[in-house]
């Protein structure tokens, strides 16, 4: 399987935002650090370079380091993958290519960072994991490609496998960006209003209530009257009831696990 893009005669769309390699003297001491080991460093910061996460990156509230797997490849062609032992479809990222990239990441990290391999076989990513990552010094993410990574490197470094959902993507770069987005937005100073992270879906075991904005009436649909009342107590009660109703309807698993004492 090849990851080489084919243009099919169409002009490739490129971004003007080039991720920059962090030089050692550029690293910000004590700042939450994301290291991403990938065959596609140009995919970063990607969407993380936009909006709140992008501003926070520029403001130095977090830092991003991409570690390109290709230079660690073998031989003249810097091969990073080989055929699966035992036969079968596709290619597997070699342990002797991934390991030196991990060593490089460890050498440049200013703290011991948790090492995560994005994988559809992993435990599902949750808001609780995002909170826990945000509370630490950062994270090193290994993005797989092809059929994945040689098991020996995962075992050797005791890498935790985390999944972004029960579906298979082409590579770990999109899940890596999702995981970083969910974590970075919880870092102090990233969200304008810290309450927005406290009240939203999955933070208190419930899904969020519906949201409305102006105009008060649109295409014959009205904003619920209570939200226009200015009565904070009634608004809070209504929102809580809507949250509970939505959670019961859409996520019976969450509702069964919901503990009102912790909410
Ligand atoms: C085509 S997938 C490999 C799937 C692998 N052969 C399997 O069946 O488990 C290539 C890479 O994409 C990433 N990936 C794909 N789906 C993912 C998911 N749901 N969550 C996290 N990473 C995923 C992983 O890094 C994986 O190594």
């Amino acid at each position: 399987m090849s990851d080489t893009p084919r243009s099919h005669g169409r002009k490739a769309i490129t971004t003007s935002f080039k991720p920059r390699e962090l030089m050692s003297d550029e690293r910000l001491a004590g700042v939450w650090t994301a290291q991403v080991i990938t065959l596609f460093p140009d995919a970063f910061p990607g969407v993380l370079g936009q909006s709140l996460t992008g501003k926070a990156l520029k403001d130095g509230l977090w830092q991003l380091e991409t570690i390109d797997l290709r230079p660690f490849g073998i031989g003249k062609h810097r091969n990073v993958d080989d055929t699966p032992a035992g036969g079968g479809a596709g290619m597997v990222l070699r342990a002797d290519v991934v390991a030196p990239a991990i060593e490089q990441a460890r050498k440049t990290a200013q703290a011991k960072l948790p090492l995560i391999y994005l994988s559809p076989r992993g435990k599902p990513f949750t808001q609780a994991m995002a909170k826990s990552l945000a509370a630490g010094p950062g994270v090193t993410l290994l993005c797989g490609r092809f059929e994945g990574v040689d098991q020996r490197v995962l075992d050797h470094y005791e890498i935790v496998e985390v999944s972004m959902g029960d579906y298979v993507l082409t590579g770990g770069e999109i899940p890596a960006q999702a995981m970083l987005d969910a974590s970075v937005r919880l870092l102090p100073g990233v969200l304008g209003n810290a309450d927005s992270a406290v009240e939203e879906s999955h933070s208190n075991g419930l899904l969020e209530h519906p949201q409305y904005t102006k105009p008060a009436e649109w295409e014959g649909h009205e904003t619920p009257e209570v939200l226009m009342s200015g009565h904070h107590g009634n608004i809070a009660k209504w929102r809580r009831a809507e949250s509970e109703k939505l959670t019961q309807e859409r996520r019976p698993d969450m509702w069964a696990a919901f503990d009102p004492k912790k909410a």
Side-chain angles (χ1 to χ4, degrees), residues 84-183:
M91 301 294 271
V92 177
L93 285 169
R94 293 173 61 123
D96 54 357
V97 170
V98 174
I102 291 173
E103 292 297 338
Q104 166 76 20
R106 290 196 161 171
K107 214 163 61 192
T108 58
Q110 294 177 338
K112 191 167 172 8
L113 303 180
L115 180 53
I116 291 176
Y117 167 48
L118 284 315
S119 159
R121 302 182 314 188
K123 55 181 174 186
F125 186 62
T126 61
Q127 186 68 16
M129 281 189 212
K131 262 190 206 165
S132 150
L133 286 178
V139 66
T140 305
L141 299 177
L142 171 61
C143 300
R145 278 274 155 179
F146 318 120
E147 294 308 322
V149 178
D150 188 307
Q151 185 62 39
R152 290 169 294 180
V153 81
L154 302 177
D155 295 341
H156 182 80
Y157 288 99
E158 297 180 349
I159 303 177
V160 178
E161 294 187 47
V162 177
S163 167
M164 206 43 70
D166 288 345
Y167 43 81
V168 178
L169 298 161
T170 320
E173 289 75 12
I174 291 172
Q177 290 190 18
M179 189 180 284
L180 291 178
D181 186 291
S183 307

Side-chain angles (χ1 to χ4, degrees), residues 207 210 241-255:
L207 299 178
E242 289 293 314
S243 264
E244 294 189 2
K245 196 170 92 188
L246 265 186
T247 311
Q248 285 176 60
E249 281 169 13
R250 293 186 183 177
R251 293 292 300 270
D253 57 322
M254 278 176 70
W255 183 246

